Amino acid sequence: MVYNQLNPHVQLVILSTLDKPRTLYDIGKLWYSNIGRFYNDYIIKQTEKAVRLKYITKENKAYKANTPRIILDAVNNINFRFKDNRTNEYVKGYKLKLKSFYNDLKEFSYPTYLN
């Protein structure tokens, strides 16, 4: 998963924008009470790299996470490694329900669980 290879500040940008778009100003204020924290050249370049990788989008000055993609990547990386085939079928069903819960019910799940 590429998310794990991103800069920790960019990971915070993604986590902060899973539900709604936010500016770097808002994110710095939210996490550190420091409005300029994310206006570092290195962090801005890394954030733009995440935009190119399509993990986030930029709308004017606000960033928004590509939440469906991130959920899909996260759920697909769940691997319990059970040996029993029946249990593996339960895990497969669990993954489908997770994807459905977050993406099909996003009006509820995004603001409730991802904000």
Side-chain angles (χ1 to χ4, degrees):
M1 187 168 167
V2 177
Y3 175 82
N4 295 333
Q5 299 168 2
L6 296 172
N7 177 285
H9 287 91
V10 176
Q11 291 176 352
L12 285 178
V13 171
I14 292 170
L15 289 174
S16 301
T17 60
L18 286 170
D19 178 37
K20 60 185 175 185
R22 289 193 167 113
T23 63
L24 294 178
Y25 173 94
D26 295 332
I27 296 166
K29 189 174 178 183
L30 176 72
W31 284 96
Y32 297 105
S33 298
N34 180 341
I35 57 177
R37 179 79 178 230
F38 287 85
Y39 287 103
N40 173 313
D41 286 339
Y42 178 73
I43 294 171
I44 291 173
K45 285 179 186 177
Q46 292 297 310
T47 305
E48 292 301 322
K49 176 183 172 184
V51 170
R52 285 191 305 276
L53 292 171
K54 301 198 186 314
Y55 270 88
I56 52 179
T57 58
K58 187 173 182 181
E59 303 165 1
N60 296 325
K61 293 183 179 185
Y63 292 93
K64 171 75 175 89
N66 185 348
T67 307
R69 178 183 179 190
I70 292 168
I71 289 170
L72 183 66
D73 284 355
V75 171
N76 287 338
N77 282 317
I78 295 173
N79 190 357
F80 292 114
R81 301 183 197 268
F82 292 115
K83 294 179 182 177
D84 179 35
N85 286 337
R86 185 173 177 195
T87 307
N88 285 326
E89 288 300 315
Y90 287 131
V91 171
K92 202 180 290 185
Y94 173 70
K95 287 180 173 184
L96 288 173
K97 288 178 183 176
L98 272 177
K99 291 175 193 175
S100 176
F101 175 77
Y102 281 105
N103 290 325
D104 296 343
L105 302 171
K106 63 183 167 190
E107 292 80 20
F108 167 75
S109 63
Y110 284 17
T112 305
Y113 295 102
L114 302 178
N115 186 5

